Amino acid sequence: LMSCACCHWCPVQKENGYTRMICKPGTAREGHLNGKTVHNWQHFSAYPGFFISGIVDFVYHYTEMALPRDGEKVFLGLAFFNEGLIMLLHKKHDPLDVLLHQTLGYVMLATALSIWAEVVWPQSFTATLCRVGTVMGQGLVLWITATLIRGSYLIAWDQVYKQDQIPAQYAAVLIVQGILGLQCLFAVLAAISSLQVRERPPERGT
């Protein structure tokens, strides 16, 4: 509603630009926050955490400073946490849009928790597996999203009316099936890792 109202009260997008946060003088919402560009600001806010995380990586790997252990992972977890939080709080519209944003948000938060678990338990195979699995889960949801938006079955996923729940329900089925596929993959990887650990010869004392 905020975006639609600002379409009527504020100048068009070209006049406002893509970053103007305050409506221009001479409009009904003069001096008020611009709902037309809030979508852009929300998208922008999802990514700076990764730039900060990258800088911290460089500091950790290319300097000899005395730094806390695994600080780079802490910042990486914060980057995913910020991204997941904005996904959950992001301005959304129809049911399919809500489903995809919320699913991405939950998976990103799970990624952050997995990374922080690695910091607490650095030798934990489970924590590392959770991190890898949740990152792949993000890719899965994004792939499904791209398929729905750009795929050859676009008409099938087109929502007949604004609150059409059917595409969102089918998308949920695809997401769950994809997660089941990832579970099978990681069950195989866990089994292979377990066999390698059992077959590893004991270390000899020196």
Side-chain angles (χ1 to χ4, degrees):
L1 291 177
M2 178 172 58
S3 179
C4 294
C6 210
C7 288
H8 295 288
W9 295 342
C10 285
V12 295
Q13 185 76 34
K14 291 182 180 179
E15 295 178 4
N16 266 335
Y18 292 91
T19 59
R20 178 176 290 276
M21 299 181 68
I22 306 297
C23 290
K24 284 187 174 182
T27 63
R29 283 184 60 82
E30 176 181 345
H32 290 79
L33 288 171
N34 182 7
K36 192 70 175 178
T37 58
V38 64
H39 196 74
N40 301 333
W41 277 105
Q42 288 181 336
H43 274 102
F44 169 79
S45 300
Y47 306 115
F50 291 99
F51 288 100
I52 297 173
S53 175
I55 292 172
V56 172
D57 280 345
F58 274 103
V59 172
Y60 264 81
H61 292 285
Y62 294 103
T63 68
E64 297 181 356
M65 299 171 60
L67 300 168
R69 180 182 64 86
D70 291 334
E72 70 273 35
K73 288 187 177 180
V74 173
F75 278 88
L76 180 61
L78 285 171
F80 278 110
F81 181 83
N82 290 339
E83 187 181 31
L85 188 62
I86 199 66
M87 280 289 174
L88 293 177
L89 301 177
H90 187 49
K91 181 185 70 174
K92 294 171 280 288
H93 305 284
D94 52 69
L96 182 59
D97 193 23
V98 172
L99 172 74
L100 295 174
H101 277 88
Q102 288 185 344
T103 304
L104 272 174
Y106 292 137
V107 176
M108 289 169 179
L109 293 181
T111 302
L113 293 177
S114 300
I115 294 172
W116 291 333
E118 284 187 295
V119 175
V120 179
W121 299 287
Q123 302 300 321
S124 173
F125 175 77
T126 302
T128 300
L129 195 63
C130 287
R131 172 176 56 82
V132 175
T134 52
V135 170
M136 292 184 68
Q138 293 180 44
L140 170 70
V141 178
L142 291 171
W143 175 75
I144 291 175
T145 302
T147 302
L148 303 187
I149 296 175
R150 301 295 182 185
S152 58
Y153 298 101
L154 182 60
I155 295 178
W157 291 98
D158 188 25
Q159 297 166 110
V160 179
Y161 51 93
K162 192 65 175 176
Q163 295 301 318
D164 189 358
Q165 293 282 346
I166 302 302
Q169 298 303 314
Y170 272 107
V173 172
L174 290 179
I175 291 171
V176 171
Q177 289 178 347
I179 292 173
L180 291 174
L182 288 177
Q183 286 179 333
C184 293
L185 172 63
F186 286 119
V188 173
L189 292 177
I192 293 174
S193 176
S194 178
L195 290 174
Q196 289 178 341
V197 170
R198 291 177 183 177
E199 294 175 358
R200 184 182 303 166
E203 297 181 0
R204 297 180 178 180
T206 55

